[in-house]
């Protein structure tokens, strides 16, 4: 390893590791439990080791990952839970501002709504793609253009259909970001095109269809300004979810709107007020066009409550109104308390002939979270959540509201250990 670094000051190698076990108490996580059912207590662990190489003309990153549940393998087995690559890419620099990055890579934009690395999940999210990056800090301009083309295996016949339930077969996106002045105000716009492939249920032939998502963000975020906000608007169109009853995808026309305003009253305390609105499709809609927002590859855990009751958007749509108080208890301990009120955006008729409407209120969730920095490379996070379910909550979860249920609760504690094992810059100084 020293041979790589000695005498090559323009080249740097960093090796880091992560070990993150997390225990959860799932007593009504994602949906209520009948009182005859017992809560689950899984322990999940993610282990990573990453190699990052940078030079004047070339960047490379390799991240190996093992994801497991404690007890998934017995004491006499060496098999891993799920071992593989999280990232493996190379970036070739040309000109002063441009890079082409090729390989498996995580991408995250705009508050992680459409694309996210999803650090909360045990696996995370990464894509196989080619990515062009333009970054001119003098102009305050960033441009990202990505292209991906997927196949299920080393195919020899194009007629082999890519499984639409896994991921897109083809994706292309263009994102532009521009700083406005020097006060922390940024604007961004994005356009995403996805092509999916599946069988035509009528002719049993391969079928291709496209989904388009476009929109913009306006963000104010500055350490010198106690006020900050994020305003988001996206629109989806062309074709949507695959309709098995007709053999064709639905036409799609859907939207997502979000507003989040933050104000820091003191260095150690602040408030967030926000609303997320996902469009839905009315039960009375007979037009053949779906207005239900379809999530892309963003974070599921960061929005709509920690208990993930509404990680998927159904035809009734969703509105989430929330308020968060956050602050520092000590220099190493921070906390936040968040309350959510959930509503449907469209009528939900639950009887056999679609005549009984259960109402819009989906319940309320309260999330309390703490983060403790134990030492330089060690952090402990823990939290508790409670869900106040309504009759509508049970009905949209396909449960009978007249039955007896446990009080929906969820708690977790995680330990993240992420040391830097080697840094060639430190080696060179020595």
């Amino acid at each position: 390893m020293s041979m790589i670094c000695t005498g090559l000051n323009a080249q740097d190698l960093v090796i880091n590791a992560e070990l993150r076990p997390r225990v959860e108490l799932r007593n009504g996580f994602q949906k209520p439990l009948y009182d005859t059912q017992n809560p689950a207590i899984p322990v999940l662990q993610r282990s990573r080791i990453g190699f990052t190489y940078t030079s004047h003309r070339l960047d490379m990153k390799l991240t190996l990952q093992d994801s497991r549940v404690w007890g998934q393998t017995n004491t006499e087995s060496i098999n891993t839970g799920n071992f593989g690559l999280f990232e493996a890419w190379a970036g070739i620099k040309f000109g002063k501002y441009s890079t082409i990055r090729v390989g498996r890579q995580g991408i995250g934009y705009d508050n992680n709504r459409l694309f996210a690395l999803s650090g909360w999940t045990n696996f995370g999210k990464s894509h196989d793609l080619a990515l062009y990056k333009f970054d001119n800090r003098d102009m305050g301009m960033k441009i990202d253009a990505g292209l991906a083309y997927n196949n299920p295996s080393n195919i020899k016949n194009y007629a082999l259909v890519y499984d639409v339930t896994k991921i897109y077969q083809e994706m292309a996106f263009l994102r532009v970001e521009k700083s406005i002045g020097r006060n922390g105000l940024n604007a961004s716009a994005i356009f995403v095109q996805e092509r999916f492939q599946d069988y035509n249920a009528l002719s049993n032939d391969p079928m291709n269809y496209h989904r388009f998502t476009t929109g913009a963000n306006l963000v104010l975020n500055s350490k010198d300004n106690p006020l900050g906000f994020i305003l988001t608007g996206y629109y989806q169109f062309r074709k949507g979810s695959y309709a098995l009853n007709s053999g064709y995808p639905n036409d799609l026309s859907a939207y997502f709107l979000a507003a989040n305003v933050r104000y820091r009253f003191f260095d150690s305390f602040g408030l967030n007020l926000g609303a997320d609105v996902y469009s839905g499709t009315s039960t009375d809609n007979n037009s053949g066009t779906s207005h239900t927002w379809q999530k892309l590859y963003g974070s599921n855990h960061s929005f709509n409550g920690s208990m993930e009751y509404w990680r998927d958007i159904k035809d009734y749509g969703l509105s989430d109104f929330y308020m968060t108080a956050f602050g520092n208890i000590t220099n190493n301990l921070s906390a936040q308390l968040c309350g959510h009120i959930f509503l449907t955006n469209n009528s939900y008729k639950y009887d056999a002939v679609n005549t009984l409407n259960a109402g819009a209120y989906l319940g309320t969730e309260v999330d309390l979270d703490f983060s403790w920095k134990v030492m330089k490379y060690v952090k402990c996070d823990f939290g508790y959540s409670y869900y106040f379910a309504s009759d509508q909550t049970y009905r949209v979860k396909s449960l009978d509201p007249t039955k007896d249920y446990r009080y929906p609760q969820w708690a977790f504690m995680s330990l993240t250990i992420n040391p830097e094992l080697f840094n060639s810059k430190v080696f060179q100084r020595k």
Side-chain angles (χ1 to χ4, degrees):
M1 196 172 294
S2 61
M3 293 178 62
I4 297 175
C5 306
T6 302
L8 297 175
N9 293 327
Q11 304 182 45
D12 296 310
L13 176 65
V14 177
I15 304 175
N16 51 47
E18 180 192 73
L19 181 69
R20 192 192 69 180
R22 181 175 75 229
V23 59
E24 298 183 31
L25 170 64
R26 297 176 175 175
N27 187 14
F29 179 68
Q30 294 189 352
K31 65 183 298 185
L33 284 181
Y34 289 108
D35 62 354
T36 56
Q37 296 175 305
N38 294 320
I41 308 178
V43 182
L44 298 84
Q45 179 173 315
R46 185 177 73 195
S47 307
R48 287 177 175 175
I49 183 166
F51 304 83
T52 304
Y53 170 82
T54 58
S55 68
H56 180 60
R57 289 296 183 187
L58 178 68
D59 293 340
M60 295 188 70
K61 188 171 185 179
L62 174 66
T63 304
L64 305 176
Q65 172 176 283
D66 175 57
S67 174
R68 65 174 57 241
V69 177
W70 281 14
Q72 191 173 357
T73 53
N74 62 47
T75 57
E76 297 179 355
S77 173
I78 61 173
N79 294 329
T80 62
N82 192 305
F83 182 80
L85 284 172
F86 176 64
E87 289 189 292
W89 56 261
I92 302 172
K93 305 173 186 177
F94 59 96
K96 188 177 179 181
Y97 307 111
S98 297
T99 303
I100 292 181
R101 184 187 292 181
V102 180
R104 188 161 188 84
Q105 50 197 293
I107 50 176
Y109 300 122
D110 301 318
N111 204 26
N112 296 319
R113 292 288 189 176
L114 300 185
F115 293 96
L117 278 72
S118 293
W120 170 263
T121 66
N122 234 30
F123 292 97
K125 291 180 182 177
S126 52
H127 304 253
D128 300 310
L129 56 82
L131 179 63
Y132 168 76
K133 298 179 71 68
F134 174 86
D135 187 355
N136 187 331
R137 296 185 180 181
D138 296 331
M139 294 174 55
M141 175 73 74
K142 294 181 180 180
I143 300 174
D144 281 19
L147 178 64
Y149 189 90
N150 294 325
N151 281 295
S153 63
N154 187 10
I155 62 172
K156 297 178 176 60
N157 184 353
Y158 181 75
L160 180 63
V161 172
Y162 191 75
D163 188 353
V164 69
T165 63
K166 292 180 179 179
I167 198 174
Y168 51 82
Q169 185 179 49
E170 171 191 300
M171 179 183 70
F173 68 86
L174 175 66
R175 179 182 181 272
V176 179
E177 179 181 338
K178 182 71 171 67
S179 298
I180 304 174
R182 299 183 179 274
N183 58 355
L185 185 64
N186 288 272
S188 64
I190 192 169
F191 180 84
V192 184
Q193 180 272 145
E194 301 159 278
R195 179 169 65 86
F196 298 92
Q197 189 178 53
D198 207 340
Y199 280 117
N200 184 321
L202 301 179
S203 65
N204 203 33
D205 292 329
M207 179 184 64
N208 296 285
Y209 64 93
H210 296 262
R211 179 175 69 188
F212 299 109
T213 304
T214 188
N217 291 265
L218 185 65
V219 180
L220 176 64
N221 185 19
S222 174
K223 293 181 180 179
D224 300 326
N225 190 343
L227 176 67
F229 60 78
I230 303 175
L231 305 178
T232 301
Y234 293 123
Y235 176 66
Q236 284 181 332
F237 59 101
R238 193 65 181 273
K239 294 291 184 179
S241 58
Y242 191 62
L244 295 177
N245 59 333
S246 65
Y248 292 95
N250 288 324
D251 290 333
L252 178 64
S253 177
Y255 65 85
F256 166 71
L257 301 173
N260 178 285
V261 180
R262 179 212 71 213
Y263 192 85
R264 186 177 289 276
F265 295 94
F266 313 103
D267 290 339
S268 59
F269 176 75
L271 287 177
N272 268 341
L273 290 175
D276 295 350
V277 179
Y278 304 82
S279 66
T281 307
S282 172
T283 308
D284 300 324
N285 177 30
N286 296 315
S287 67
T289 297
S290 172
H291 300 290
T292 305
W293 175 261
Q294 298 182 4
K295 287 188 176 182
L296 269 67
Y297 314 102
S299 173
N300 287 316
H301 189 79
S302 301
F303 308 105
N304 304 331
S306 297
M307 294 182 70
E308 300 186 14
Y309 267 48
W310 316 111
R311 59 179 292 156
D312 297 319
I313 306 303
K314 304 300 184 183
D315 282 344
Y316 44 77
L318 180 70
S319 290
D320 174 14
F321 300 95
Y322 60 90
M323 181 175 70
T324 305
F326 61 91
N328 298 321
I329 300 174
T330 67
N331 290 336
N332 296 322
L333 180 64
S334 62
Q336 70 172 31
L337 176 65
C338 185
H340 299 263
I341 296 176
F342 300 105
L343 304 170
T344 64
N345 286 335
N346 297 90
S347 61
Y348 179 75
K349 298 180 178 179
Y350 59 90
D351 70 318
V353 292
N354 287 328
T355 58
L356 298 177
N357 194 337
Y361 178 57
L362 288 173
T364 299
E365 181 177 331
V366 178
D367 303 319
L368 177 62
D369 294 280
F370 297 90
S371 183
W372 174 33
K373 186 177 181 180
V374 182
M375 59 183 68
K376 183 177 181 181
Y377 296 120
V378 180
K379 184 182 68 166
C380 183
D381 296 290
F382 42 99
Y384 172 79
S385 298
Y386 190 96
Y387 201 95
F388 299 88
S390 67
D391 285 353
Q392 179 77 315
T393 307
Y394 298 108
R395 290 191 174 102
V396 300
K397 293 291 183 180
S398 300
L399 299 171
D400 185 351
T402 64
K403 302 292 184 181
D404 293 327
Y405 295 88
R406 290 180 174 270
Y407 296 114
Q409 302 172 75
W410 174 77
F412 81 95
M413 182 173 67
S414 68
L415 183 66
T416 304
I417 305 170
N418 54 354
E420 186 178 89
L421 304 179
F422 178 84
N423 190 322
S424 64
K425 291 183 179 179
V426 176
F427 181 85
Q428 291 160 17
R429 287 199 297 267
K430 294 181 179 179

